[in-house]
Amino acid sequence: PVVTPPSEIDTPVAQNPAISVAKQAVLTTDNGTIGVGNIGDVITYSVQVTNTGNVPLTDITVMDSFQGGAPVALVCAPTTLVPGQVATCDSYTHTITLEEANASTSLNNEVEASGRFSGVSGTITVTGDAGVQVEIEADPHALRVTKAAAVREVRIGDLVRYTLTVE
């Protein structure tokens, strides 16, 4: 019989770093209109980051921005992800204020995650983002009352007529 020596073939595997972000907002205190944010309602936000690539990612960071404000770093673990692994960030809450309810019809919250991959071609940073909107309604009890009297001179015992305007 003919015996051939073993041979080796190197098959390069494409290295594809990738990351995805999922963000959720839940009204955990919903005292007003059910399913809609009202003054005093509490929104609980949660974020998960997944390594959707085929190589490990390190230095996972997640930055959160509420209503276009300055980004804030979230605490997430783990900060190194193998392919398919998920990092969970600490959830946090926000209580809807009177100003927020009367200023807009929704609250917007954006998040961006990033991670690094060090490969043959150097270090690559990958990013992913997600956002959620919570519908809110203005305070239905917000009334403005104006009181006015059209008098020039008043003496003790005079009758003064007032006009009340309710808006």
Side-chain angles (χ1 to χ4, degrees):
V2 178
V3 177
T4 59
S7 62
E8 291 184 17
I9 298 176
D10 287 333
T11 305
V13 175
Q15 296 179 327
N16 297 311
I19 197 168
S20 70
V21 185
K23 182 170 190 123
Q24 185 177 27
V26 175
L27 284 167
T28 49
T29 301
D30 194 0
N31 293 322
T33 305
I34 302 300
V36 178
N38 300 102
I39 297 165
D41 284 357
V42 177
I43 306 166
T44 299
Y45 293 98
S46 58
V47 177
Q48 288 190 321
V49 179
T50 303
N51 179 349
T52 56
N54 65 355
V55 292
L57 297 175
T58 60
D59 302 325
I60 302 296
T61 58
V62 178
M63 300 301 288
D64 187 83
S65 177
F66 180 74
Q67 288 292 95
V72 175
L74 299 182
V75 176
C76 308
T79 58
T80 297
L81 299 175
V82 297
Q85 189 175 11
V86 176
T88 300
C89 302
D90 290 347
S91 62
Y92 58 97
T93 62
H94 175 76
T95 302
I96 299 171
T97 65
L98 173 64
E99 294 78 19
E100 291 166 341
N102 288 332
S104 63
T105 58
S106 66
L107 294 177
N108 301 306
N109 194 298
E110 303 290 325
V111 68
E112 180 178 284
S114 64
R116 295 179 183 264
F117 163 69
S118 296
V120 177
S121 60
T123 300
I124 299 170
T125 300
V126 292
T127 61
D129 57 23
V132 292
Q133 278 190 334
V134 174
E135 180 186 353
I136 60 173
E137 65 183 5
D139 182 10
H141 302 99
L143 298 176
R144 192 173 103 181
V145 179
T146 306
K147 178 180 173 182
V151 294
R152 294 181 190 250
E153 192 175 306
V154 179
R155 294 187 188 127
I156 295 174
D158 285 352
L159 177 65
V160 178
R161 296 189 187 273
Y162 290 93
T163 302
L164 297 175
T165 306
V166 180
E167 299 176 297

